[in-house]
Amino acid sequence: MINIALPKGRLGERVYKLLCAIGYGCDDYDENSRKLIFADTKGEVNYFWVKPSDVAVYVELGAADVGVAGKDILDEYEPDIYELADLRLGKCRMCVAAKRGWRDDAGVPLRVATKFPHTAEKYYAEMGRDIEIIKLNGSIELAPVLGISDVIVDIVETGTTLKENDLCVYAQISDISARLIANKSAYKFKYGQISSLCEKLKGVIDSDKNN
Ligand code: PRP
């Protein structure tokens, strides 16, 4: 039996289809259901559908043996898990963005709006730059437009949200993509099952022409 936590939404659905293709389908699964747990009747796999930012919590605490989490979440929360594979899905970038034409004034602390305070603090600490964090939970792009921050540290995927709000990227912090992660003790005790799943998943991703 292997317990897998997947992020609810498009990325999770895509990973689920790949897992089905390599023999981890779940006959109980119904994508229109609001159920959060699906158990394969052959007793081989359980799926938990989790809020994307919580997958690493379920894996770290051992409720799930493996899961799929964005690198943005892993960098932000630094959970005590193993990162097994870069699935090369859900690709985007963690960036610093600001209003077009913005100029930094190094003499005053930089006001940074973000959902990722740890990531932002770490980035600016390495540069020796004083900042003040404005923690928001979404629509981060509004903060510089309405003047409550100088910059944002946020995910950029297509760049459309920035463009439509007259913002632009000033620096790239990191590349982001979905990662296969594992609970540390499950990795030891279910090594055969977990490494086999990981290798098969990497294989199907390598052969996916859309990837
Ligand atoms: C994310 C991110 C940006 C947007 C970037 O927001 O925080 O706002 O997507 O995507 P784009 O470059 O393709 O425009 P999300 O959709 O998760 O919603 P949120 O505003 O609630 O964080």
Side-chain angles (χ1 to χ4, degrees), residues 168-188:
C168 58
V169 170
Y170 278 79
Q172 178 172 330
I173 298 177
S174 59
D175 284 314
I176 305 291
S177 56
R179 308 296 160 103
L180 180 68
I181 60 172
N183 172 269
K184 285 188 165 176
S185 55
Y187 190 69
K188 195 157 44 165

Side-chain angles (χ1 to χ4, degrees), residues 115-116 137-141 154-162:
K115 272 192 287 199
F116 303 95
N137 299 301
S139 302
I140 314 297
E141 292 83 356
D154 198 19
I155 284 168
V156 178
E157 190 180 350
T158 60
T160 308
T161 313
L162 291 183

Side-chain angles (χ1 to χ4, degrees), residues 113-149:
T114 188
K115 272 192 287 199
F116 303 95
H118 175 64
T119 303
E121 269 159 8
K122 199 168 159 198
Y123 174 72
Y124 283 108
E126 279 165 13
M127 292 170 57
R129 180 76 169 92
D130 277 345
I131 64 164
E132 182 192 313
I133 292 281
I134 295 133
K135 170 76 172 70
L136 298 174
N137 299 301
S139 302
I140 314 297
E141 292 83 356
L142 261 181
V145 174
L146 298 184
I148 66 165
S149 81

Side-chain angles (χ1 to χ4, degrees), residues 11 13-19 21-22 87-91 200-211:
L11 172 66
E13 296 291 342
R14 191 158 170 211
V15 174
Y16 178 71
K17 287 200 177 83
L18 293 172
L19 287 166
I22 55 169
L87 302 181
R88 306 200 312 270
L89 302 171
K91 284 184 191 168
K200 287 182 196 159
L201 192 55
K202 282 200 282 192
V204 80
I205 280 171
D206 285 344
S207 62
D208 184 347
K209 292 191 183 55
N210 300 320
N211 192 26

Side-chain angles (χ1 to χ4, degrees), residues 74-89:
L74 302 179
D75 286 347
E76 180 62 21
Y77 297 102
E78 299 186 351
D80 190 19
I81 47 86
Y82 291 133
E83 196 181 307
L84 301 183
D86 181 351
L87 302 181
R88 306 200 312 270
L89 302 171

Side-chain angles (χ1 to χ4, degrees), residues 32-53:
N32 299 314
S33 166
R34 300 293 296 265
K35 261 175 67 173
L36 300 173
I37 299 179
F38 292 95
D40 177 45
T41 50
K42 293 195 290 296
E44 285 167 7
V45 59
N46 280 328
Y47 281 100
F48 310 139
W49 289 91
V50 177
K51 189 176 161 75
S53 52

